[in-house]
Amino acid sequence: MAEEASTTRRRQPGRGAVWARRALGALTGLLAGYTALAVAELVAAFGRVESGPVIAVGSAAIDRTPPPVKDWAIRHFGTNDKLVLQLGILAALVVLALALGLFALSHRRAGSAGVLLFGVVGAGAALSRPDSVGVSDAMPSVVGAVAGAAVMYVLAGRLRVAPSAAAPDAEGGEDGRPRWDRRGFLVVAGATAVATTGVGVLGRSLGGNLGQDAVASRDAVRLPAPASPARKVPTGARLRIPGISPFTTPNGDFYRVDTALVVPKVDARSWRLRIHGKGVKRPLSLSFDDLLRRELIERDVTLTCVSNEVGGPYVGNARWTGVRLATLLEECGVRPPSKGGPADQLVSRSVDGMTIGTPVEDVMDGRDALLAVGMNGQPLPFVHGFPVRMVVPGLYGYVSACKWLKDIELTTFDSYDPYWVKRGWARRAPIKTESRIDTPKPFARPKSGTVTVAGVAWAQHRGVRKVEVRVDDGAWHEADLAAQDTVDTWRQWFYRWDATPGGHTLTVRATDGTGRVQTDRRTRTIPDGASGRHSVVVTVD
Ligand SMILES: Nc1nc2c(c(=O)[nH]1)N[C@H]1C(S)=C(S)[C@@H](COP(=O)(O)O)O[C@H]1N2
Ligand SMILES: [Mo]
């Protein structure tokens, strides 16, 4: 009986050994993938971080994301959407690497070639980017993939089953022990893991040092006093109500919306801006110092993103310092269409390949369209476009607020569609009149009696004339308005509500400076901004 059992055990293909080999196969896939990425990032750190496979594939994915998905991502992940995307890419890579490692157990060559295929995808993504500088951008993915494929080939070789006549069962020998080179595998795998970690750490530290010049150039910026300071914010423009958005949004709290997976770090000392195109009699090329030597103006302007849902957070108000764009354009001999100029679209380009189209008429109609260098008294933060960005009062960011600006081209709407227009968004997009209840928060449980309902309303370049609040389906009550700073800024408001116990819906609407009431017609954000009225449901105790 005992004899019988031991025979059976020997004949079985050592279940434990089969699983151990599979696990090591999967581990091989992981190690190959890890090596490929670490080597690729190291190579990228020597060139451009943007050309590394994860960033390149992520950026290419962003470029190709259908607008509704992008909208959904912004809505659900907000400014974290990019982190979620990168984690998603890494998770997908882990799964694919595990599968490829298992596959390589039986198909060593094909499995290794599979790693190279990923290199091709990464290289293709890097080359497809609008900011690609040429074939060198393919290097990180290619070199990384070759290293990864080599690791796969060598490790899978250690896991090959030695043919044995004595033991027809594939993985186990007569003694039940595996017949593949477990010791060899562990030695090579361990060495690979150590080497790759070293490569990864080196790549990280090199990559982290990138942009040091840009940081130094930003630290060295001293913004000259503006020749035309912003008007002093009227004392009545800042309400002190708990929970209301502050009139001026601090830089650190300012919303951020862009397609950049790596924030561009531009060295202001080598930065230049070119202005050229249709109807430009004297093209201009300016350095950052040239710009600072010009007459600077300072203005309060509220920025809004077209992806902002009704009641959403993508709106902020800052004090911008910069050069009047219209003055520069006039110097170049540009005339707006209304004065016979041939160009009706101004296309701004960023260092990361973003293109943004703005009506020439709008930037030259007397409003304070700026090439901004300062935000709330500081040089622009990197995430907000250092060294120079555009700010145009009254237009959504995607048609006006180009960050990391490097080129301005005058052209026509008929002949060129910029980035977001190619993806289904409107060519022209003035900001819609909107208002938001900041307090009470949705599902709050205020006590009955007087409850302060408060928030902000905006209708940039038209101004906010009136804000009204309605409780449930009752009459509209006029809210108290904070003093107006300028027509280009938002306005705070509050309403003292005599709250009665039970569930209530609070709704707000604004009237702009032209007398038009904010519509109650709900629309999606695409193609030209959400409309409708913000409501908050509360339960009064
Ligand atoms: N280079 C570049 N500029 C850009 C964008 C971008 O993706 N890339 N996004 C635009 C959009 S959609 C908006 S709403 C504003 C947001 O500016 P902020 O991030 O400083 O708030 O920047 C605009 N400028
Ligand atoms: Mo936006």
Side-chain angles (χ1 to χ4, degrees):
M1 192 65 194
E3 180 63 45
E4 180 75 29
S6 96
T7 314
T8 316
R9 184 160 4 103
R10 216 183 309 143
R11 286 270 169 79
Q12 291 247 319
R15 290 212 161 271
V18 172
W19 282 105
R21 184 166 170 266
R22 285 188 190 146
L24 294 183
L27 178 66
T28 296
L30 272 188
L31 272 173
Y34 177 41
T35 304
L37 284 186
V39 170
E41 297 304 330
L42 178 65
V43 175
F46 279 109
R48 293 172 356 101
V49 263
E50 297 87 341
S51 63
V54 176
I55 302 288
V57 169
S59 302
I62 291 177
D63 288 352
R64 286 165 185 77
T65 302
V69 179
K70 173 232 161 203
D71 231 39
W72 174 87
I74 288 199
R75 206 158 43 246
H76 289 268
F77 306 124
T79 305
N80 288 329
D81 56 349
K82 295 183 197 65
L83 180 65
V84 171
L85 173 69
Q86 296 203 62
L87 290 177
I89 291 176
L90 284 178
L93 281 177
V94 165
V95 172
L96 289 167
L98 292 171
L100 207 54
L102 283 171
F103 175 71
L105 283 178
S106 49
H107 302 84
R108 188 181 173 204
R109 293 229 172 83
S112 309
V115 181
L116 293 178
L117 208 63
F118 283 102
V120 171
V121 171
L127 293 175
S128 78
R129 299 282 307 139
D131 57 339
S132 167
V133 297
V135 281
S136 63
D137 282 337
M139 288 308 279
S141 293
V142 170
V143 177
V146 169
V151 166
M152 182 78 99
Y153 191 78
V154 171
L155 284 179
R158 299 299 97 195
L159 294 177
R160 259 185 317 181
V161 182
S164 160
D169 45 282
E171 276 89 3
E174 260 186 298
D175 50 0
R177 297 183 63 87
R179 298 193 59 84
W180 35 275
D181 183 7
R182 178 189 274 175
R183 172 180 291 265
F185 176 90
L186 292 178
V187 169
V188 179
T192 305
V194 170
T196 292
T197 301
V199 164
V201 169
L202 185 63
R204 269 289 132 117
S205 67
L206 280 175
N209 281 338
L210 285 181
Q212 290 296 86
D213 293 349
V215 171
S217 78
R218 184 173 180 274
D219 289 344
V221 171
R222 298 283 168 270
L223 291 179
S228 165
R231 67 174 292 223
K232 189 176 169 304
V233 176
T235 39
R238 298 182 202 272
L239 301 178
R240 259 180 290 273
I241 294 172
I244 201 171
S245 304
F247 176 74
T248 302
T249 313
N251 289 355
D253 296 343
F254 208 94
Y255 81 92
R256 171 189 170 199
V257 172
D258 55 57
T259 59
L261 272 181
V262 204
V263 176
K265 292 270 171 69
V266 179
D267 184 341
R269 288 166 296 201
S270 53
W271 177 89
R272 288 200 85 82
L273 171 70
R274 211 159 73 90
I275 305 181
H276 62 108
K278 272 198 181 68
V280 177
K281 301 211 180 72
R282 295 168 291 277
L284 209 59
S285 170
L286 293 164
S287 71
F288 188 65
D289 280 335
D290 292 339
L291 213 54
L292 290 192
R293 274 194 289 271
R294 288 174 171 262
E295 185 175 296
L296 296 181
I297 70 173
E298 185 188 53
R299 296 292 183 266
D300 293 337
V301 179
T302 301
L303 243 53
T304 309
C305 181
V306 71
S307 294
N308 196 45
E309 295 285 326
V310 170
Y314 303 129
V315 51
N317 182 50
R319 174 158 290 192
W320 308 94
T321 312
V323 172
R324 279 188 72 98
L325 181 53
T327 310
L328 285 175
L329 293 176
E330 282 154 12
E331 265 182 53
C332 297
V334 174
R335 282 172 296 136
S338 62
K339 297 211 173 104
D344 60 0
Q345 181 176 219
L346 180 150
V347 172
S348 42
R349 280 193 177 75
S350 69
V351 299
D352 64 332
M354 174 53 62
T355 51
I356 284 182
T358 312
V360 176
E361 199 62 50
D362 289 351
V363 298
M364 299 188 80
D365 71 356
R367 75 183 75 193
D368 295 314
L370 295 179
L371 294 187
V373 293
M375 182 178 187
N376 291 327
Q378 301 293 317
L380 291 180
F382 285 107
V383 285
H384 295 297
F386 181 82
V388 180
R389 77 174 302 167
M390 299 223 323
V391 171
V392 184
L395 307 180
Y396 284 117
Y398 87 104
V399 288
S400 70
C402 191
K403 306 192 274 190
W404 315 293
L405 179 68
K406 71 159 190 196
D407 187 282
I408 288 178
E409 180 180 356
L410 286 118
T411 178
T412 59
F413 279 102
D414 280 345
S415 64
Y416 184 77
D417 282 338
Y419 188 91
W420 288 114
V421 175
K422 284 196 189 96
R423 288 160 176 78
W425 297 79
R427 289 199 172 81
R428 297 166 188 265
I431 297 172
K432 295 179 179 178
T433 302
E434 275 296 332
S435 46
R436 182 176 75 193
I437 298 170
D438 289 336
T439 179
K441 295 279 175 235
F443 312 116
R445 303 190 68 108
K447 295 218 162 22
S448 63
T450 303
V451 171
T452 302
V453 184
V456 283
W458 59 89
Q460 289 93 319
H461 212 55
R462 301 182 297 280
V464 171
R465 180 183 292 178
K466 185 157 83 174
V467 170
E468 294 160 289
V469 173
R470 182 171 71 176
V471 181
D472 302 319
D473 292 322
W476 288 100
H477 300 281
E478 211 167 322
D480 286 301
L481 277 175
Q484 174 171 276
D485 180 15
T486 76
V487 292
D488 295 333
T489 55
W490 61 11
R491 227 168 145 174
Q492 296 173 323
W493 57 266
F494 68 95
Y495 171 68
R496 301 250 187 249
W497 170 37
D498 187 15
T500 53
H504 294 291
T505 302
L506 302 165
T507 307
V508 63
R509 73 176 185 193
T511 301
D512 74 9
T514 72
R516 289 185 61 158
V517 180
Q518 175 185 339
T519 180
D520 66 351
R521 208 172 68 86
R522 276 249 167 198
T523 62
R524 300 193 303 158
T525 54
I526 192 166
D528 63 355
S531 67
R533 292 173 184 159
H534 189 213
S535 289
V536 165
V537 175
V538 298
T539 306
V540 178
D541 286 329

